[in-house]
Amino acid sequence: MESGQASRGQFVIVIMMGPPGAGKGTQAQRVAERLGLAHLATGDLFREAMARHTELGRQAESYVKRGEYVPDQITLGLVRERLSQPDAQAGAILDGFPRTLEQARGLDRLLAEKGATVDKVVYLDVPEAELARRLGGRWTCRRCQAVYHEVFNPPKTPSVCDVCGGELYQRPDDTPAVVQRRLEVYHQQTAPLVQRYDAAGLLVRVRGDLSPDEVTEAVLRAIGDW
Ligand code: AMP
């Protein structure tokens, strides 16, 4: 693919996979911007709905707080809705979805209705010890969801987002006990998806433990290389 825009002239779907803390959010946001695709992050959508106290937010809250997955049907409904919005016309980078086999099957059905399929799955590989370290010092923008780290990627001004000036906060599910639970749930439920997409010849592994810019370039190369 040429850099700058999605060039396949159809609905492009790239899945960004990896454990919590691998850098999916940061990379998906950058890559979506570079390729002119929507950034569809189910975790961000759940947090927004919770902050606005919508019906979806109420349904998701108890799961998100415990580090458990929101039920598949609720999650699939959310993704269907988001993919029908105007900024997703050319397609999307999926960040944090699908996370279960049922969600992956649901995604295939949903895309089939549009005559589309998953184009590529990028797996961000980061050693486990590094994940726990990253999640510990993570700060997130309340407004635009940009992610910082107090040691590895600090904002220019403490507590203020470089991108939009929004306030930075620490996600309540980034506490050590919930981080541990999120890593466990990931290994039980999401790791099997890696095998599924690998068997389908769609998976490409990218090292996620390099600098954010190096990872972005590696992801773009991996996507362009279909
Ligand atoms: P994330 O921001 O991707 O780490 O997601 C934060 C939390 O939102 C997760 O721990 C889950 O509780 C919920 N969540 C996000 N995406 C999904 C998904 N695809 N399926 C189920 N729950 C999800």
Side-chain angles (χ1 to χ4, degrees), residues 101-167:
L101 281 170
E102 188 46 39
Q103 289 180 14
R105 293 190 198 107
L107 173 64
D108 286 347
R109 288 194 294 272
L110 208 156
L111 293 177
E113 289 168 19
K114 297 176 182 284
T117 54
V118 172
D119 291 291
K120 202 115 213 175
V121 180
V122 177
Y123 182 83
L124 290 179
D125 226 340
V126 175
E128 190 98 355
E130 172 72 10
L131 296 174
R133 222 152 57 98
R134 285 186 180 186
L135 290 168
R138 182 155 89 166
W139 291 78
T140 305
C141 175
R142 266 190 213 286
R143 203 187 295 161
C144 78
Q145 310 284 335
V147 178
Y148 299 86
H149 190 281
E150 56 197 31
V151 179
F152 311 121
N153 177 31
K156 292 196 182 80
T157 311
S159 306
V160 179
C161 178
D162 293 351
V163 181
C164 77
E167 181 203 1

Side-chain angles (χ1 to χ4, degrees), residues 15-16 24-25 28 38-50 56-57 60-61 64 68-83 92-100 103 107 110 145 171 173 190:
I15 299 172
M16 195 70 81
K24 297 188 294 292
H39 172 207
L40 195 170
T42 41
D44 290 353
L45 295 173
F46 285 134
R47 279 186 291 280
E48 260 168 49
M50 283 159 53
L56 173 74
E61 189 148 17
V64 174
E68 306 287 340
Y69 287 169
V70 178
D72 291 332
Q73 289 317 310
I74 298 176
T75 307
L76 278 162
L78 177 76
V79 170
R80 172 183 291 277
E81 227 277 350
R82 182 68 186 83
L83 283 180
I93 308 284
L94 306 186
D95 161 10
F97 173 90
R99 264 170 146 112
T100 64
Q103 289 180 14
L107 173 64
L110 208 156
Q145 310 284 335
R171 279 173 46 174
D173 61 344
T190 304

Side-chain angles (χ1 to χ4, degrees), residues 1 5-15 28 31-33 35-41 79 82-95 107 111 114 116-119 226:
M1 186 189 292
Q5 287 292 307
S7 64
R8 291 189 105 198
Q10 61 173 55
F11 200 67
V12 175
I13 293 289
V14 174
I15 299 172
V31 169
E33 208 165 287
L35 299 180
L37 301 172
H39 172 207
L40 195 170
V79 170
R82 182 68 186 83
L83 283 180
S84 68
Q85 287 171 14
D87 69 325
Q89 243 169 18
I93 308 284
L94 306 186
D95 161 10
L107 173 64
L111 293 177
K114 297 176 182 284
T117 54
V118 172
D119 291 291
W226 46 36

Side-chain angles (χ1 to χ4, degrees), residues 120-124 198 201-206 218-219 222-223 225:
K120 202 115 213 175
V121 180
V122 177
Y123 182 83
L124 290 179
D198 206 6
L202 293 172
L203 192 85
V204 44
R205 290 172 195 274
V206 169
V219 171
I223 295 175
D225 193 24

